[in-house]
Amino acid sequence: MVRYVIRRLIATVGVLWGVSILIFAILQFTPGDAARAQLPSSAPEEEVQRLRESLGLDEPIPVQYSIWLQNVLQGDFGRSYQHRISAFGIVKDRFPNTMILATSALVVSVVVGLVIGVVAGTRPNTLTDRAAILTGIVGASLPSFWVGIMLLIIFSLKLGWFPAVGMYDVRGDGGLVDLAHHLVLPTITAAAVPAAVIARQVRSSVLEIMNLDYIRTARSKGLRETTVVVRHALRNALPTFITIVALQAGYLLGGSLITEVVFSWPGMGQQLYTSVGARDIPVIMTITLLVALIFTSLNLLADLLQAVLDPRVRLT
Amino acid sequence: MHADEERKLDGLLSRRRLLQLSAAGFGASLLSGLLAACGGDDDDDDDDTDSGDSGTGDDATEVSGGSDDAGGDSGDAGDPKAGGTLVWGMGGDADALDPHTTNAWAAWRQSTMMYESLVRKDLLTDEIPVPVVPQLAESWEVSDDGRTWSFALRQGVTFHDGTDFNADAVMANYERMSVEDSPYYYASAWHGRFAFQYAEAVEAPDEFTWRITHDQPVGEFLSTMGDYYWFGIASPTQIEEVGTENLASSPSGTGPFRFVERVEGQRTEFERNEDYWGEKAYLDRLIVRPILEDQARVVALQTGEIDLMSDPPPDVIESLVNDGYAMSQGLTPQVAFYRFQFRNEYGGNQLVRQAVQWAIDREAIARDLFRDTVIPAYGLLSPGAPAYDPEWAPYSYDPDRARELLAEAGYPDGFSTKLLAAPTASGWPQAGAVAQFIKDNLADVGIDLELELTEWVTYLGIEFRERTDALLWGTAWGMPTNFFLNIQAESRYRSEADPGDQGYTNVENPNEALDELLIAGSQATDPAEANDLYRQANELMCVEDAAFLSLNHDKLPHLMRPEVKGFFHSVNVNYDMSKVWLDE
């Protein structure tokens, strides 16, 4: 197990390295020039060239990459071209905000997904099941952008229940209640797709398990249906569930980009959106590396949990 | 409402025209500036205050509101009250709160609150040309040869960090932009290199005098110094303490508001500078929030999460005004225009370029697409530039004339080509819709345009060779100075290597007639003569050579809750927020 973890951790370093090369390359091949992006469209070429030199963008691309890599290995993620402050500092400030939204959306999507999935999976082909399937399809297909705007118009503008933008009331002193109030609409928007995906997955595993022999045995022993579902069916559906939840968590932590932009939620997704628009390479690289790190770590965690829950899985 | 607005605008244009004819352009304002400055400290303050009180924009800045007192400026709602917090929602986030490096409207607007320059274009008047008024300089003199400018600096001013303002502070800021071996130097502080490009000697002969000598006459120098606050003077002590590269995160100027904190992506907070040398701001606090999504910004105004909103989508303005929100808009030094590609077979043909000018219905774009938040444009001189002439309209919508010119050019059946535009450009979110409008207009005269719409930075970086396929590519910006024309079309600022080169005029192949006008214009020390030269240049570039297709000047509407008073729409992109107050 320990050797397995060490091997996976080494692999993670490899993945991060690969991701950094890939993103760096994509940024180089995308039309657009970071220096030109910082100046007005008619700035003379001479001025652009001067800025390019000061940012080190006049070096050959492999040299630029190796300078970047050396700096990162020493803990220096560079300075944002756009904001002229530390790129790591920007991401560090944004990360907790994304964590708050992602955690809240994950909790909501797990609870909703689990309830819908179990209810539907234990009552196959009933009206409830069909309604659940339909909700799942709709939830997974509606674009977050549209859902966000609709929630804004209905719950913020028409009903006045929730604020429209940001994390805190800027006139107030902040606080947890204020944060929770601001969190509701973005959470629903960000949770819609993961909840639908989880519900669908849970439904199909529950449906499959409920037809297995050991469930019939459990029922024939005279166990109550709740016990059958919770203690026997769900326990066996857990491994698949954990994998799918880990994937959704990665997706949410990667910054629910659209949700953050719609609700002016100051997280990494919103930052990535503006940084890509400005070709702010240091910030884009820092965010993508962090997201890749989170994603691989969550996958590793899911695999370890699998082994704990299912003795048949061996990690070697 | 629409007809009323139209009449209002007509009225203001003719008034402007009168002003222009009578004021002999720049000269009168320079003279009045000098006279005011000569009167000493107290007079200056009065002069500033006067323009604040009288510049209510009663007929020039358009103000609409649901009720009579729901105006967007201070003139119509009783006496200003001090106190309160205003939240201002903007459609873009500030890149860096550093006046010497920034390139974003959102940042200029915030810099204006904290930083002051030696002089500024008056933000509290709708007069065109916009007068230059004293700020950290009390007066200025120009030598007879137009090369040496001397500024007498205001005494008794302190920076927000407590440092005294003097000529050394001005020098430090000059060096930050222009002197590579200075400890203050910062390569990203690029604005000054352009403005100080003719500097031969820069000196501080005594504690309160700053002098710059150019290697040639620079008639536009004072006007350029007053623009946008690019020469906002930062505390030299602060620059030393935080490091020249870190000024953006710890700003320290002399302005009416001081920086409190910036929480990236959430808010930037300012408070009243209680030690301000001039008239203090009314607001206790001012908070700027970036809200990038249009619809969310509109909802935030309606829910009261913000009080003042920049960049409203044109379609929502009328209904919000009907609901009682106040709207303020006016002329702005901005122009949306396309460039013709001269290396394109069709773009290289003068008759084709002229035909396109007649084929575009600029009035319909302003009315139908922008809901009268813009006015039609015909040249590159924009409102606020001393030579701008609102009466000048060399083209009308005349598709028959366009067809005749196309036939004369040898394309009676039209042709097919491309147009490039960037619908994500900040300050021009409607670029995609405008491109579609042009496509429809040109289809009527037989020109089939294929639209190529890309994201802004991609658009900037599209290789020159790809641009040769396109007849037109567009952008939107402007400056309240005639020198904008030099930047756009003086050959020495253009090169074949430059991705923005259209092949019209560049250092390799200059348009000599145009250069002559632009250079003479920039050197002319008599403002009336300078304006005349620039108008001729504008005519040559946009009518005879028809190298640019100008479409409209934005009126930069702002929407606000009716309680927000004193917001004055300057002929600029930034506003004097010290005059804004809350009626509650």
Side-chain angles (χ1 to χ4, degrees):
Chain A
M1 178 96 154
V2 174
R3 283 178 62 189
Y4 173 80
V5 173
I6 291 172
R7 227 177 36 237
R8 282 287 296 264
L9 287 176
I10 293 170
T12 300
V13 173
V15 168
L16 293 182
W17 187 44
V19 166
S20 75
I21 292 178
L22 191 69
I23 302 291
F24 205 87
I26 289 173
L27 286 171
Q28 305 303 327
F29 292 122
T30 318
D33 168 343
R36 198 156 263 291
Q38 315 304 319
L39 298 172
S41 55
S42 296
E45 187 59 27
E46 184 193 327
E47 210 47 63
V48 180
Q49 189 53 35
R50 191 197 295 259
L51 186 60
R52 216 174 265 141
E53 281 165 23
S54 85
L55 296 175
L57 295 169
D58 55 333
E59 302 282 351
I61 292 164
V63 176
Q64 281 185 46
Y65 178 77
S66 69
I67 293 174
W68 175 84
L69 190 64
Q70 278 171 29
N71 288 339
V72 165
L73 291 175
Q74 291 163 20
D76 176 7
F77 287 80
R79 175 180 286 269
S80 156
Y81 298 160
Q82 193 190 9
H83 300 293
R84 319 205 203 284
I85 53 179
S86 147
F88 185 76
I90 292 177
V91 178
K92 196 181 73 192
D93 287 348
R94 300 270 184 159
F95 179 67
N97 304 340
T98 292
M99 278 292 281
I100 292 171
L101 177 57
T103 311
S104 147
L106 190 68
V107 169
V108 169
S109 57
V110 165
V111 171
V112 172
L114 203 58
V115 169
I116 295 182
V118 170
V119 168
T122 49
R123 294 167 183 75
N125 299 321
T126 59
L127 201 62
T128 321
D129 181 32
R130 281 168 210 279
I133 293 175
L134 186 69
T135 316
I137 291 173
V138 172
S141 330
L142 287 180
S144 316
F145 184 76
W146 187 85
V147 173
I149 299 278
M150 284 303 124
L151 292 177
L152 268 183
I153 291 174
I154 298 167
F155 293 101
S156 219
L157 182 59
K158 299 289 178 204
L159 298 172
W161 291 357
F162 301 105
V165 290
M167 269 178 86
Y168 295 101
D169 173 6
V170 291
R171 292 189 190 87
D173 299 327
L176 277 178
V177 176
D178 190 24
L179 174 62
H181 198 206
H182 280 79
L183 196 54
V184 176
L185 299 184
T187 297
I188 298 173
T189 310
V193 173
V197 172
I198 292 171
R200 212 156 38 180
Q201 192 64 47
V202 169
R203 178 190 173 272
S204 59
S205 14
V206 167
L207 192 60
E208 195 189 317
I209 291 167
M210 291 306 277
N211 290 325
L212 294 181
D213 289 347
Y214 78 92
I215 294 290
R216 201 180 310 140
T217 313
R219 276 179 177 149
S220 55
K221 282 199 299 190
L223 292 177
R224 283 189 314 159
E225 189 63 15
T226 327
T227 317
V228 173
V229 172
V230 175
R231 303 252 326 251
H232 295 263
L234 276 188
R235 174 95 166 88
N236 281 283
L238 260 184
T240 345
F241 176 70
I242 283 169
T243 312
I244 197 85
V245 167
L247 281 174
Q248 297 308 312
Y251 155 82
L252 284 169
L253 278 170
S256 320
L257 195 143
I258 303 290
T259 307
E260 292 191 354
V261 171
V262 169
F263 292 96
S264 298
W265 192 267
M268 293 193 297
Q270 193 200 42
Q271 182 63 55
L272 192 60
Y273 175 82
T274 46
S275 297
V276 167
R279 297 293 184 276
D280 197 342
I281 296 171
V283 177
I284 299 172
M285 293 297 291
T286 311
I287 293 180
T288 43
L289 270 191
L290 184 59
V291 171
L293 178 65
I294 292 170
F295 217 90
T296 46
S297 312
L298 282 171
N299 268 330
L300 176 58
L301 197 67
D303 289 348
L304 294 177
L305 266 177
Q306 293 263 26
V308 173
L309 292 168
D310 185 350
R312 289 169 300 176
V313 176
R314 277 160 186 265
L315 301 178
T316 44
Chain B
M1 177 190 145
H2 163 228
D4 283 355
E5 269 191 21
E6 203 72 308
R7 271 200 300 279
K8 221 179 208 175
L9 197 61
D10 285 344
L12 104 94
L13 293 185
S14 44
R15 178 171 165 263
R16 288 235 170 84
R17 181 71 183 138
L18 267 175
L19 274 171
Q20 275 188 320
L21 291 173
S22 62
F26 195 65
S29 62
L30 175 56
L31 193 63
S32 64
L34 274 172
L35 289 175
C38 294
D41 208 353
D42 293 341
D43 276 41
D44 277 354
D45 291 347
D46 287 347
D47 186 53
D48 255 17
T49 318
D50 281 346
S51 55
D53 290 344
S54 63
T56 48
D58 42 9
D59 60 349
T61 299
E62 295 164 59
V63 175
S64 317
S67 56
D68 284 348
D69 61 348
D73 73 329
S74 56
D76 52 3
D79 291 331
K81 292 175 211 156
T85 299
L86 177 105
V87 185
W88 185 358
M90 295 185 185
D93 199 358
D95 51 357
L97 292 180
D98 178 341
H100 307 157
T101 70
T102 180
N103 182 32
W105 298 137
W108 289 122
R109 289 173 184 156
Q110 294 174 57
S111 287
T112 310
M113 300 185 234
M114 299 182 286
Y115 287 106
E116 296 176 301
S117 183
L118 299 186
V119 293
R120 78 171 185 191
K121 293 276 176 69
D122 195 344
L123 297 179
L124 296 165
T125 181
D126 44 51
E127 210 177 304
I128 289 183
V130 183
V132 175
V133 294
Q135 218 170 10
L136 288 177
E138 291 182 313
S139 63
W140 51 89
E141 277 170 8
V142 55
S143 63
D144 291 340
D145 62 3
R147 289 173 52 220
T148 303
W149 294 80
S150 225
F151 295 85
L153 307 180
R154 195 175 292 278
Q155 303 190 18
V157 176
T158 50
F159 288 98
H160 299 155
D161 67 349
T163 306
D164 288 332
F165 166 75
N166 54 28
D168 289 343
V170 181
M171 278 309 269
N173 282 268
Y174 167 76
E175 288 176 13
R176 186 164 189 254
M177 292 186 245
S178 304
V179 181
E180 288 198 32
D181 53 8
S182 160
Y184 297 106
Y185 182 73
Y186 184 25
S188 296
W190 61 279
H191 290 293
R193 277 193 292 279
F194 213 64
F196 296 131
Q197 59 183 316
Y198 308 108
E200 198 176 65
V202 179
E203 58 206 328
D206 62 57
E207 199 186 349
F208 291 101
T209 307
W210 186 71
R211 191 156 60 208
I212 179 165
T213 304
H214 301 111
D215 59 12
Q216 63 178 64
V218 187
E220 282 278 305
F221 185 64
L222 191 71
S223 167
T224 310
M225 285 287 279
D227 284 338
Y228 289 163
Y229 290 68
W230 60 267
F231 197 39
I233 305 292
S235 158
T237 324
Q238 184 81 349
I239 299 176
E240 285 160 27
E241 269 172 22
V242 301
T244 190
E245 297 185 344
N246 299 321
L247 188 63
S249 29
S250 311
S252 179
T254 59
F257 289 94
R258 54 166 91 219
F259 175 78
V260 177
E261 68 166 338
R262 177 175 186 186
V263 185
E264 287 287 334
Q266 298 191 55
R267 68 193 158 89
T268 308
E269 195 173 324
F270 306 91
E271 64 182 9
R272 184 195 300 125
N273 175 9
E274 300 291 355
D275 302 322
Y276 186 55
W277 58 267
E279 209 175 292
K280 294 183 185 45
Y282 293 120
L283 295 169
D284 291 341
R285 287 201 303 164
L286 200 161
I287 299 171
V288 173
R289 299 185 77 165
I291 304 174
L292 309 184
E293 221 296 302
D294 280 353
Q295 196 60 47
R297 205 162 57 253
V298 173
V299 173
L301 178 70
Q302 291 171 293
T303 57
E305 288 167 75
I306 59 174
D307 304 299
L308 168 67
M309 171 193 186
S310 296
D311 321 305
D315 287 339
V316 307
I317 293 175
E318 193 174 342
S319 75
L320 285 173
V321 168
N322 290 338
D323 287 347
Y325 291 92
M327 190 267 283
S328 169
Q329 63 174 5
L331 295 182
T332 307
Q334 188 263 14
V335 54
F337 62 98
Y338 283 75
R339 294 187 177 89
F340 281 95
Q341 173 53 270
F342 279 59
R343 295 177 180 85
N344 179 296
E345 176 195 344
Y346 313 109
N349 188 318
Q350 185 183 15
L351 291 168
V352 169
R353 296 193 303 270
Q354 288 176 345
V356 170
Q357 303 272 7
W358 291 101
I360 304 298
D361 191 350
R362 294 170 173 84
E363 302 270 345
I365 292 178
R367 187 183 58 237
D368 302 336
L369 201 57
F370 287 96
R371 311 272 176 196
D372 293 311
T373 58
V374 304
I375 59 167
Y378 302 93
L380 290 187
L381 285 169
S382 56
Y388 173 70
D389 176 0
E391 303 277 283
W392 185 72
Y395 298 106
S396 56
Y397 175 50
D398 190 346
D400 291 333
R401 180 111 183 235
R403 282 185 210 102
E404 281 166 30
L405 284 164
L406 280 179
E408 203 183 317
Y411 304 104
D413 302 322
F415 54 83
S416 296
T417 180
K418 269 201 278 192
L419 173 151
L420 288 177
T424 62
S426 86
W428 205 25
Q430 317 291 334
V434 172
Q436 185 62 48
F437 206 103
I438 292 177
K439 179 184 164 79
D440 291 349
N441 272 175
L442 292 188
D444 288 344
V445 300
I447 300 174
D448 174 33
L449 273 192
E450 181 195 332
L451 301 188
E452 194 171 310
L453 304 178
T454 70
E455 167 270 336
W456 174 239
V457 183
T458 306
Y459 166 86
L460 286 180
I462 283 182
E463 290 295 315
F464 177 60
R465 60 177 179 279
E466 292 178 45
R467 286 193 167 168
T468 59
D469 296 341
L471 175 71
L472 291 164
W473 73 98
T475 188
W477 70 306
M479 288 164 75
T481 161
N482 294 337
F483 200 74
F484 183 63
L485 263 55
N486 298 65
I487 296 173
Q488 289 302 324
E490 194 185 320
S491 62
R492 69 195 172 101
Y493 296 124
R494 305 274 128 218
S495 161
E496 279 177 7
D498 182 347
D501 182 47
Q502 62 187 118
Y504 170 45
T505 175
N506 51 39
V507 69
E508 291 86 0
N509 194 5
N511 180 330
E512 276 156 15
L514 182 60
D515 275 354
E516 216 168 279
L517 287 170
L518 292 173
I519 293 168
S522 70
Q523 294 182 355
T525 45
D526 172 21
E529 186 195 339
N531 288 346
D532 186 51
L533 288 162
Y534 276 114
R535 282 179 191 148
Q536 288 178 46
N538 202 30
E539 178 108 19
L540 179 60
M541 291 156 66
C542 300
V543 183
E544 197 180 327
D545 293 342
F548 300 87
L549 174 70
S550 296
L551 294 174
N552 52 61
H553 303 297
D554 204 328
K555 293 198 279 186
L556 280 185
H558 280 73
L559 283 170
M560 63 209 84
R561 294 198 301 121
E563 292 79 15
V564 178
K565 306 290 181 189
F567 180 86
F568 186 81
H569 185 101
S570 65
V571 190
N572 217 309
V573 293
N574 41 3
Y575 312 97
D576 186 345
M577 297 306 288
S578 72
K579 298 285 184 278
V580 175
W581 56 282
L582 294 169
D583 189 19
E584 52 191 14

